């Protein structure tokens, strides 16, 4: 069903290391959000990354491939289900922790997008990604849009949670 | 024509879902919707791309109507089922009958899609879809119960 990699080489090890690093960082951060909010953030990040990558990488678009096979393989699933959620969580965590406002929000998103592009560029050289019709510049607006959606989702959840009495002030880290 | 028909059904269903009064917390609906989208998307990718048991013509209009089906229609019906059967006390028979009705609707959409040449079964059996939907509904119910308890602990319900 999910093919195994042709060989456990550098791209698989990088994914495993990135997963450990991401989860390690997310778990080491002091608890800031209510658990419900954390779960929703994890699931939102997973869903948006998963859906977007499936749309872009699968036929009829087929813009790029991941890892060793053109099929959906085990390490693709690990990539989506294990790696993306903690990264989205850390993105929102730091945004909330530093209480960013105004132009700093844009700068913050630009920095994350640049980091994303750099990691993707490294991923291309480490044979995690193979572009067929995609190019790295196209990823930049995608990262920006996803970050906007993630922050909009976070604010909506905070607002609705406060309105329904689920938590009083999620922007100041009540947990 | 068939594509327009599917879109009309999806839009009517979404409007009906939004308008009807619900007992589920919005976070429960969002949580279930996102999880079901992920499950559906990954399952469909495995069946279509890896196993090649279902073929979808590589046309953009067909792709999007099928995507709307698995990302809007299926999760929405499953969430409605949870809303109807698990937000207040219902008998086992009531839940069972509604589960069968839901599975029938989900499989009927697939069969209608094949009839209108929006997808082709190349080795896939419709009763396998029924089994996979039964599993997905069970997962949705379990996840709903877990998340409902979680929200209850934090004081919303």
């Amino acid at each position: 069903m999910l093919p195994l990699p042709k060989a456990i080489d550098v791209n698989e090890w990088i994914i495993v290391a990135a997963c450990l690093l991401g989860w390690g960082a997310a778990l080491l951060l002091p608890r800031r959000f209510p658990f419900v909010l954390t779960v929703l953030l994890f699931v939102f990040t997973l869903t948006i990354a998963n859906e977007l990558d499936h749309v872009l990488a699968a036929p009829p678009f087929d813009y790029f491939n991941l890892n060793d096979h053109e099929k959906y393989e085990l390490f693709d699933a690990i990539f989506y289900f294990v790696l993306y959620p903690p990264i989205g969580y850390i993105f929102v965590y730091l945004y909330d922790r530093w209480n960013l406002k105004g132009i700093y929000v844009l700068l913050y998103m630009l920095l994350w997008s640049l980091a994303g592009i750099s990691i993707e560029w490294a991923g291309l050289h480490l044979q995690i990604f193979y572009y067929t019709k995609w190019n790295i510049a196209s990823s930049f607006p995608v990262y920006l849009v996803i970050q906007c959606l993630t922050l909009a989702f976070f604010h909506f959840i905070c607002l609705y949670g406060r309105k329904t009495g689920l938590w009083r002030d999620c922007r100041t880290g009540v947990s | 024509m068939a594509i327009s028909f599917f879109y009309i059904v999806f839009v009517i269903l979404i409007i009906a879902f939004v308008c009807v009064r619900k007992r589920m917390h919005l976070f429960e609906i969002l949580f279930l919707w996102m999880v079901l989208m992920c499950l559906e998307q990954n399952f469909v990718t495995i069946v279509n791309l890896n196993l090649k048991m279902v073929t979808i013509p590589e046309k953009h209009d067909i792709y999007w109507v099928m995507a709307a089906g698995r990302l809007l229609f299926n999760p929405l019906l499953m969430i409605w089922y949870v809303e109807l059967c698990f937000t207040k006390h219902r008998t086992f028979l009531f839940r069972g009958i509604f589960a069968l009705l839901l599975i029938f609707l989900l499989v009927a959409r697939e069969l209608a899609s094949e009839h209108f040449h929006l997808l082709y079964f190349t080795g896939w059996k419709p009763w396998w879809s029924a089994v996979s939907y039964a599993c997905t509904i069970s997962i949705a119910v379990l996840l709903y119960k877990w998340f409902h308890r979680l929200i209850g602990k934090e004081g919303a319900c």
Side-chain angles (χ1 to χ4, degrees):
Chain A
M1 295 244 292
L2 283 176
L4 295 172
K6 286 173 184 165
I8 302 283
D9 43 29
V10 67
N11 54 331
E12 282 80 18
W13 283 117
I14 291 285
I15 290 173
V16 170
C19 289
L20 290 173
L21 204 69
W23 275 93
L27 291 172
L28 282 176
L29 288 170
R31 192 181 163 194
R32 184 168 180 83
F33 304 130
F35 190 55
V36 169
L37 176 60
T38 308
V39 171
L40 285 172
L41 280 176
F42 268 66
V43 177
F44 180 82
T45 312
L46 165 66
T47 306
I48 204 157
N50 196 35
E51 296 303 328
L52 204 65
D53 270 14
H54 275 90
V55 168
L56 295 175
F61 298 101
D62 210 1
Y63 286 133
F64 58 86
N65 291 312
L66 262 83
N67 294 313
D68 299 355
H69 298 274
E70 288 187 2
K71 289 181 175 179
Y72 183 48
E73 64 163 271
L74 179 68
F75 271 82
D76 297 357
I78 292 173
F79 195 76
Y80 296 129
F81 283 87
V82 187
L83 181 59
Y84 278 128
I87 292 173
Y89 173 75
I90 293 167
F91 168 71
V92 175
Y93 185 98
L94 295 177
Y95 165 78
D96 187 56
R97 174 74 184 79
W98 292 333
N99 198 16
L100 297 172
K101 285 188 173 66
I103 197 75
Y104 293 105
V105 178
L106 176 65
L107 287 176
Y108 183 69
M109 289 201 293
L110 286 174
L111 275 177
W112 270 85
S113 297
L114 282 174
I117 290 286
S118 313
I119 292 167
E120 196 173 316
W121 180 82
L124 274 172
H125 287 82
L126 294 166
Q127 292 160 345
I128 296 173
F129 299 105
Y130 295 91
Y131 291 160
T132 50
K133 294 175 250 175
W134 195 253
N135 61 69
I136 201 157
S138 309
S139 299
F140 197 79
V142 175
Y143 285 128
L144 280 176
V145 170
I146 287 178
Q147 286 166 21
C148 286
L149 289 175
T150 308
L151 292 183
F153 180 78
F154 171 66
H155 280 285
F156 171 73
I157 293 295
C158 286
L159 206 69
Y160 195 83
R162 273 203 294 269
K163 199 178 141 197
T164 53
L166 191 56
W167 45 72
R168 267 173 283 170
D169 190 6
C170 117
R171 279 281 289 169
T172 52
V174 158
S175 53
Chain B
M1 184 70 182
I3 291 175
S4 306
F5 169 75
F6 276 105
Y7 277 127
I8 290 167
V9 171
F10 296 163
V11 171
I12 289 173
L13 201 70
I14 291 167
I15 294 170
F17 184 77
V18 171
C19 293
V20 169
R21 197 180 169 86
K22 290 171 285 294
R23 285 185 201 83
M24 283 171 86
H25 194 277
L26 181 67
F27 291 174
E28 290 170 343
I29 295 173
L30 285 173
F31 172 74
L32 269 189
W33 202 308
M34 293 189 290
V35 171
L36 288 171
M37 276 168 75
C38 280
L39 285 176
E40 285 271 325
Q41 183 72 68
N42 283 279
F43 183 74
V44 165
T45 306
I46 289 170
V47 171
N48 294 8
L49 191 71
N50 289 9
L51 303 175
K52 297 199 186 303
M53 287 181 155
V54 175
T55 311
I56 296 176
E58 290 198 7
K59 290 180 182 169
H60 287 199
D61 52 349
I62 294 178
Y63 174 80
W64 287 117
V65 76
M66 295 312 292
R70 70 173 172 270
L71 303 179
L72 296 175
F73 182 84
N74 293 4
L76 194 144
L77 282 186
M78 288 183 201
I79 292 168
W80 221 334
Y81 169 73
V82 172
E83 163 74 27
L84 271 175
C85 296
F86 290 89
T87 53
K88 64 179 185 180
H89 183 72
R90 300 286 193 191
T91 60
F92 186 74
L93 185 69
F94 182 92
R95 289 173 178 173
I97 289 170
F98 266 80
L100 286 177
L101 185 70
L102 171 62
I103 292 168
F104 171 77
L105 279 174
L106 294 168
V107 176
R109 185 189 70 84
E110 280 189 5
L111 293 174
S113 303
E114 204 211 8
H115 177 77
F116 290 119
H117 306 292
L118 302 180
L119 61 83
Y120 300 101
F121 292 138
T122 45
W124 186 256
K125 305 274 184 286
W127 71 269
W128 294 351
S129 296
V131 173
S132 77
Y133 286 131
C135 293
T136 312
I137 293 165
S138 309
I139 293 169
V141 169
L142 289 174
L143 283 171
Y144 165 73
K145 286 186 173 180
W146 173 74
F147 197 73
H148 181 72
R149 208 170 300 138
L150 196 67
I151 285 193
K153 272 185 195 168
E154 294 199 351
C157 299

